[in-house]
Amino acid sequence: MSNYTSGSQRVGGSFLGFPLEGFGLFTSLLLTVASGFLAFFLVTALSIFGLLGWNLIGHHSVNYANSYLFFGFPTAVAVWTVALLVFGSLWIRAKITAK
């Protein structure tokens, strides 16, 4: 059965079971860095496999280091920017409402 009780419902809500309130500065920065690294490695791995297919099927000779430079790094910077805005605003909102 369910372990849900009506008294333990979160006020700030959640996204995919992830609470959207109560982050400290260190937690916000850690989540920002972790999300950027996860995006970097995921996109880099997918782009390496994409370049592998491109090289094999089309008989091209594209350098695999391009996957880091043109796919992984820009994605990581974009995710770091968005995550810093999101987690930073959540931290600032928690600081404002705590006072």
Side-chain angles (χ1 to χ4, degrees):
M1 291 293 168
S2 177
N3 292 333
Y4 176 76
T5 59
S6 62
S8 66
Q9 187 176 11
R10 291 193 178 109
V11 177
S14 65
F15 177 71
L16 298 174
F18 189 70
L20 293 178
E21 69 171 316
F23 295 131
L25 177 63
F26 180 73
T27 308
S28 297
L29 292 176
L30 186 65
L31 287 169
T32 299
V33 171
S35 61
F37 279 121
L38 178 68
F40 172 78
F41 289 117
L42 181 67
V43 169
T44 300
L46 291 175
S47 63
I48 286 172
F49 286 123
L51 284 177
L52 176 68
W54 179 259
N55 286 339
L56 289 177
I57 293 171
H59 302 292
H60 301 285
S61 61
V62 179
N63 188 1
Y64 291 109
N66 290 341
S67 63
Y68 297 99
L69 183 62
F70 297 122
F71 299 107
F73 182 69
T75 302
V77 170
V79 169
W80 277 329
T81 304
V82 171
L84 189 61
L85 290 173
V86 169
F87 291 122
S89 66
L90 290 174
W91 176 68
I92 290 172
R93 186 179 350 163
K95 284 296 206 187
I96 290 172
T97 58
K99 291 182 180 183

